[in-house]
Every structure is written in structure tokens, then in C-alpha cells.
Amino acid sequence: MAKLHIKKDDTVIVLSGEDKGKTGKVLKVLVDKNRAIVEGINMVSKSTKPSAKNPQGGIVKQEAAIHISNLSLIDPKSGKATRVAIKHEGKNVVRVAKKSGEEIK
């Protein structure tokens, strides 16, 4: 299984698909499926039955997973899409933006 370049709470941009060009924060990464759930991206309508939490039921809009290959990390310096390099500083592993060389937190 490959190591993913995107983690929870990263800001990403969508590279392809219906939401191309939109940005959002990663809410969850599904490692086994190589997918991520991004805030406000890939919205789907889901029918829900009435429950204690939602007594009315009906149609609810929520984010669906999007494939990792369709996402790119946003450079903290320029605000544009960038690739990620991994640097080892002693025992610490640091992610670095390829475009600016800036550390990704």
C-alpha cells in the first residue's frame, strides 16, 4: 500500500471532475480506498429515514469521498497546487512543498 501525500486538516485543490478548481479542507482520509472526504466538495443527496436525531427524515446533502489522485495540496506560500517532498531531519519526518520549499504543517 502506497503512502498518501494528503492528511487530515490539509487544504487541497481539486484537479479534475465536476468540482475542478475548488478548494477545501480534508475532513477524513480513507487509506484503504485511496480516497478522501473534503469539506464542500463532491456533494451528494442522501435520503434518510426519520430518526431521533432527524425526526422529519428526507433528503440530506453531504460530502462523498473523492479519489486522492484528483487532489493536490495547496502551497502555503503561493496558494497554488504543489507536489509534496518528504525530508528527514534527524528522527523527524517533514513534508515540504516542491514549489516553494516551504514546510507543510
Side-chain angles (χ1 to χ4, degrees):
M1 186 181 317
K3 185 148 173 77
L4 304 179
H5 59 280
I6 291 173
K7 294 183 177 181
K8 184 180 175 184
D9 294 331
D10 282 346
T11 306
V12 294
I13 187 166
V14 180
L15 300 176
S16 65
E18 190 178 311
D19 294 321
K20 181 178 179 176
K22 291 183 182 176
T23 60
K25 189 173 122 183
V26 177
L27 301 174
K28 188 175 186 181
V29 177
L30 308 170
V31 179
D32 53 328
K33 295 181 181 177
N34 282 344
R35 292 180 166 268
I37 297 174
V38 184
E39 190 175 39
I41 305 294
N42 199 20
M43 298 298 282
V44 293
S45 299
K46 184 178 176 188
S47 298
T48 56
K49 287 186 174 180
S51 65
K53 188 176 179 183
N54 185 7
Q56 194 65 37
I59 298 170
V60 176
K61 287 267 197 188
Q62 67 181 39
E63 295 96 353
I66 185 169
H67 201 271
I68 290 282
S69 66
N70 296 330
L71 300 174
S72 181
L73 211 63
I74 290 189
D75 193 329
K77 201 170 193 179
S78 68
K80 295 184 179 177
T82 184
R83 292 176 300 164
V84 178
I86 307 264
K87 294 221 172 152
H88 301 278
E89 295 175 354
K91 292 190 176 192
N92 297 337
V93 177
V94 179
R95 294 185 307 156
V96 177
K98 288 252 188 172
K99 276 198 175 157
S100 66
E102 190 102 355
E103 183 180 334
I104 299 165
K105 303 210 165 35

